[in-house]
Amino acid sequence: MKLSKNLYLSEVTKSRTAKRLGISNEPTKEHLVNLQILAEKIFQPLRDYYNCPIYISSGYRSESLNKAIGGSRSSQHCKGQAIDIDRDGHSLPNNSQIFEYIKNNLEFDQLIWEFGSNTNPDWVHVSYNTNGSQRKQILVAYKDSNNRTKYKSYE
């Protein structure tokens, strides 16, 4: 099933962890609608602008899968409202360019520079709140001295 011109449902539901543990990762009808809106508002504009493949490292997560990977209980991935994009190891655009394009050109709820360095994140988390209210929250994820994930405002 296509969510947009260049995005298939299988790309946002694939999970090695779900497969390995036998966990269903099929979205509900409501979550499927959210994924279609996310594809229309975030994924497809990126794909059209850069005219190259945009790789999703993490998309939809069922509650069981999210629990198995230790994800946040309030993760927008579980609602079909978030994707993680990773273009490392590919030609341009890199993750930093993807991040900047989203920040400067698209409506979004949350945009996170996920770990990495000061010049390029390991991946980019982006969400779109399908109720229409976008926080435009921009964060940087990092590990504290106890190796716990923390977030700070993007500067």
Side-chain angles (χ1 to χ4, degrees):
M1 171 185 188
K2 277 190 163 187
L3 297 174
S4 71
K5 183 173 89 175
N6 297 105
L7 183 64
Y8 287 90
L9 178 61
S10 59
E11 293 176 80
V12 297
T13 59
K14 72 177 181 233
S15 167
R16 289 184 181 135
T17 302
K19 192 171 189 172
R20 183 172 41 84
L21 298 176
I23 296 171
S24 172
N25 198 38
E26 291 299 313
T28 66
K29 287 181 182 179
E30 175 188 350
H31 296 162
L32 186 57
V33 168
N34 292 344
L35 287 166
Q36 289 171 317
I37 294 169
L38 178 67
E40 172 191 323
K41 299 294 187 179
I42 302 292
F43 179 89
Q44 197 59 50
L46 275 171
R47 178 65 171 80
D48 291 344
Y49 179 77
Y50 285 111
N51 195 30
C52 69
I54 303 297
Y55 303 103
I56 297 174
S57 59
S58 182
Y60 178 75
R61 296 182 200 148
S62 66
E63 286 186 36
S64 298
L65 175 57
N66 194 57
K67 185 176 180 181
I69 66 165
S72 166
R73 284 189 226 141
S74 61
S75 174
Q76 286 178 285
H77 286 279
C78 296
K79 299 175 186 175
Q81 296 179 342
I83 54 175
D84 294 342
I85 298 166
D86 186 1
R87 289 240 350 133
D88 278 355
H90 302 280
S91 61
L92 295 178
N94 63 23
N95 291 340
S96 177
Q97 290 168 310
I98 294 283
F99 182 92
E100 288 298 321
Y101 182 81
I102 294 168
K103 179 173 74 74
N104 295 323
N105 297 285
L106 301 179
E107 286 295 313
F108 60 87
D109 186 53
Q110 193 175 58
L111 180 64
I112 305 175
W113 180 288
E114 296 274 4
F115 311 104
S117 67
N118 289 336
T119 58
N120 198 51
D122 287 339
W123 70 90
V124 176
H125 168 95
V126 60
S127 67
Y128 188 88
N129 192 343
T130 53
N131 74 8
S133 175
Q134 309 307 321
R135 295 176 287 174
K136 291 285 260 185
Q137 184 180 47
I138 305 173
L139 302 170
V140 174
Y142 66 96
K143 296 287 186 178
D144 70 8
S145 58
N146 295 317
N147 205 36
R148 286 183 288 212
T149 300
K150 300 285 185 175
Y151 299 91
K152 63 182 179 182
S153 292
Y154 176 81
E155 299 171 9

